[in-house]
Amino acid sequence: MKTIIISLLLLTTLTGFCQDIPRDPDSGKFKFEQVIQGENLSKEELYERSKNWIIGTLKSSDNMVQLDDEDKDAIIATGNAILSDQNYGWWGSAYRNIILNFKFKTYFKENRLKVIVDNFSIHYDFISASSSQARNSTLEEGFQKEGYIKGDKKTAKMYEEVDPIITALISDFKKSVLNEIQEVNDDDW
């Protein structure tokens, strides 16, 4: 009976720690997706406003996959976010310099656009008492097994950070594209 209860608790813990990040039902990979209505905004206007936000916010124009689309159907960009370090306590092991990398995709139609943020990966340094090693992993895999240390708890903490970061990014994008406030400078330069 004890083993059944422990097994159920373990299963609940393992399946529950990444509930906040939406997943694609087909691939099982993390994926944020939102359709945004842009009343009275043409496809071209939505495209240009999105392009301006992406260049100014993601600051990854050197990594753009597709920035100038003749038909103004899509923009695909790369973005990064810095996540909190994860320490392992008294024996000195930690995950440091955690960078979340993702694709920020926008697709355009008259009066609406679709935003998809997916293809997540993490880049981090695994620090132990005896060494420091750079590591890469998909976000779904979380921190790789590091010898006798498993990153499940630290992965769960990292997942808790990702959802609000990406949700805020999409919210800022939506607000900026739909409301695009133009600053007017009265100086005649």
Side-chain angles (χ1 to χ4, degrees):
M1 183 68 171
K2 257 187 183 179
T3 53
I4 292 173
I5 292 172
I6 291 172
S7 298
L8 287 174
L9 286 173
L10 183 60
L11 183 60
T12 303
T13 303
L14 291 176
T15 57
F17 73 84
C18 60
Q19 290 177 355
D20 292 335
I21 304 174
R23 288 185 183 261
D24 181 281
D26 298 326
S27 69
K29 294 189 177 272
F30 295 133
K31 179 180 178 182
F32 292 79
E33 185 173 340
Q34 185 174 1
V35 175
I36 301 168
Q37 295 296 323
E39 298 299 322
N40 302 318
L41 293 172
S42 69
K43 175 181 169 181
E44 291 77 18
E45 198 169 7
L46 288 168
Y47 180 89
E48 288 303 319
R49 289 179 178 196
S50 298
K51 181 178 171 180
N52 289 338
W53 182 89
I54 288 169
I55 290 170
T57 304
L58 297 182
K59 295 179 175 72
S60 59
S61 60
D62 58 329
N63 292 325
M64 293 291 175
V65 175
Q66 181 181 3
L67 183 57
D68 287 317
D69 180 9
E70 219 174 270
D71 297 325
K72 302 197 181 322
D73 288 330
I75 299 174
I76 301 173
T78 303
N80 296 301
I82 298 171
L83 303 177
S84 300
D85 291 344
Q86 301 295 328
N87 296 317
Y88 257 109
W90 62 270
W91 58 85
S93 296
Y95 301 110
R96 300 278 167 97
N97 306 316
I98 306 166
I99 298 173
L100 175 69
N101 183 271
F102 54 87
K103 293 290 183 200
F104 191 93
K105 305 171 191 173
T106 51
Y107 301 95
F108 304 93
K109 291 186 176 182
E110 288 299 316
N111 300 313
R112 68 181 186 267
L113 59 95
K114 181 190 286 190
V115 177
I116 297 174
V117 183
D118 64 0
N119 198 23
F120 293 96
S121 62
I122 53 171
H123 309 276
Y124 61 95
D125 295 326
F126 174 69
I127 313 288
S128 68
S130 60
S131 69
S132 173
Q133 298 176 341
R135 304 286 181 147
N136 297 305
S137 175
T138 66
L139 183 61
E140 292 83 10
E141 292 171 346
F143 297 117
Q144 299 172 358
K145 185 177 179 181
E146 307 289 353
Y148 62 93
I149 300 171
K150 294 183 182 177
D152 291 340
K153 289 180 184 176
K154 301 306 172 192
T155 296
K157 282 186 175 181
M158 179 185 58
Y159 286 160
E160 290 171 10
E161 248 185 293
V162 172
D163 182 66
I165 288 171
I166 301 301
T167 300
L169 186 73
I170 294 171
S171 177
D172 182 60
F173 170 77
K174 179 180 177 179
K175 185 169 59 172
S176 178
V177 169
L178 295 183
N179 298 325
E180 193 181 43
I181 299 168
Q182 297 290 332
E183 289 187 24
V184 178
N185 189 349
D186 292 334
D187 295 341
D188 187 26
W189 54 276

